[in-house]
Amino acid sequence: MNNNNEEVKIPAHKLNPLLDTIHGHTFRGDLLTKGGYVLDLGCNDFVFSNYMVSVGMKVIALDPIKDLRIPSNFKHLENNPNFTYLQLACVGVKDAETITYYEYNHWGANSVVNTPDKLHRPENGGHAKNPSKTSYKVPVTTLSELMVRFNISQFEFIKSDVEGSEYDILSTFPHECTKQLSVEFHAFLGLNPSDDIEGYHDDLTNNKLSSYSVEFEDRDLLDSYGGEYGEVFQRNDVLYVLKKYTQ
């Protein structure tokens, strides 16, 4: 940490030359087998999907936003046989065929779990001033369903930027379903399932993701949390890699 109580951030590739970061998500390019499947959860602007297709991967891209359009500079994806876009919400437990999706003026808060009453809490600071835009039902799927649908035994990489749904997805994460996984967590919006944020992450790595090592973390100190739990962190990008590739 520096004198301002902030962690000094070092780019992933400088910590480990095997690491690459695209659009805020870190991965190991040496573990990507061309022609294998990459899952882009929360594809939205298609930057990450476009990169993965460009290096020879088959990409399944999910986002619940209604009428989401592929940007003009990525229009080539529309007719690419290695790219599939699905307007779906990925969940951990599928209790119904659809779920309510909430949109806000600033799309970064859009979510199936970030309801207006959660987002607009005073403790969320500036995020609480993001006005509601609309809500509607969207179809849902799970990681297991996607793997069956596309006949996938293991993903090469999963990128998750799903505004709070990551906690539900990880709670039922299929065993070793991917070589590597990059997750943006949303503790900064209070969407974490436990007040003990650090305890949650310890439990996650010791249990559900025990087959994985944390190879990289981009994190910030959450000053608004603490008390009985001490220092806690917002994790903007965590790369989990199967241990057999890190030993």
Side-chain angles (χ1 to χ4, degrees), residues 1 22-23 37 68 74 90 94 102 104 124 137 155 160 168 206 208 232 244:
M1 299 230 179
I22 299 296
H23 213 42
Y37 279 96
L68 182 62
F74 296 148
C90 189
K94 186 175 177 180
Y102 300 91
Y104 300 92
N124 283 339
K137 294 289 187 179
F155 287 102
S160 174
D168 183 43
N206 290 329
K208 184 56 70 174
V232 295
K244 67 180 180 179

Side-chain angles (χ1 to χ4, degrees), residues 23-232:
H23 213 42
H25 286 271
T26 302
F27 59 95
R28 275 182 52 182
D30 66 306
L31 296 182
L32 297 176
T33 301
K34 287 188 177 182
Y37 279 96
V38 168
L39 180 61
D40 187 354
L41 297 177
C43 60
N44 197 280
D45 55 16
F46 299 97
V47 172
F48 195 87
S49 289
N50 182 69
Y51 174 83
M52 286 296 173
V53 169
S54 76
V55 296
M57 308 307 296
K58 294 179 181 178
V59 175
I60 303 169
L62 270 67
D63 207 293
I65 298 178
K66 186 188 298 183
D67 301 323
L68 182 62
R69 296 180 183 276
I70 297 177
S72 58
N73 54 324
F74 296 148
K75 282 294 184 181
H76 54 273
L77 290 175
E78 292 182 345
N79 299 313
N80 192 314
N82 289 329
F83 176 74
T84 302
Y85 165 64
L86 303 170
Q87 194 231 341
L88 293 170
C90 189
V91 296
V93 178
K94 186 175 177 180
D95 294 322
E97 293 301 314
T98 62
I99 194 169
T100 302
Y101 184 68
Y102 300 91
E103 278 196 37
Y104 300 92
N105 278 10
H106 178 59
W107 60 265
N110 294 352
S111 175
V112 298
V113 298
N114 197 17
T115 57
D117 61 306
K118 291 181 179 178
L119 179 64
H120 296 149
R121 291 174 295 188
E123 55 265 36
N124 283 339
H127 299 285
K129 299 176 182 179
N130 189 358
S132 299
K133 185 177 179 181
T134 187
S135 65
Y136 45 86
K137 294 289 187 179
V138 297
V140 300
T141 190
T142 65
L143 291 179
S144 295
E145 281 190 350
L146 288 170
M147 295 177 78
V148 170
R149 178 173 175 176
F150 290 92
N151 192 28
I152 299 169
S153 58
Q154 186 180 62
F155 287 102
E156 297 294 311
F157 182 72
I158 295 176
K159 172 215 132 186
S160 174
D161 185 359
V162 287
E163 310 305 319
S165 293
E166 65 272 11
Y167 300 105
D168 183 43
I169 294 169
L170 290 171
S171 72
T172 59
F173 200 70
H175 181 66
E176 297 189 2
C177 67
T178 183
K179 291 181 182 177
Q180 48 185 330
L181 166 72
S182 168
V183 184
E184 178 185 3
F185 290 92
H186 291 79
F188 70 98
L189 290 177
L191 299 178
N192 39 288
S194 167
D195 289 338
D196 185 1
I197 295 173
E198 298 308 303
Y200 166 80
H201 285 282
D202 288 343
D203 181 71
L204 181 66
T205 54
N206 290 329
N207 292 287
K208 184 56 70 174
L209 297 184
S210 61
S211 297
Y212 295 81
S213 294
V214 174
E215 191 139 339
F216 175 75
E217 276 190 328
D218 172 13
R219 66 184 193 176
D220 297 304
L221 185 66
L222 271 177
D223 292 328
S224 58
Y225 289 79
E228 63 181 300
Y229 300 113
E231 283 190 341
V232 295

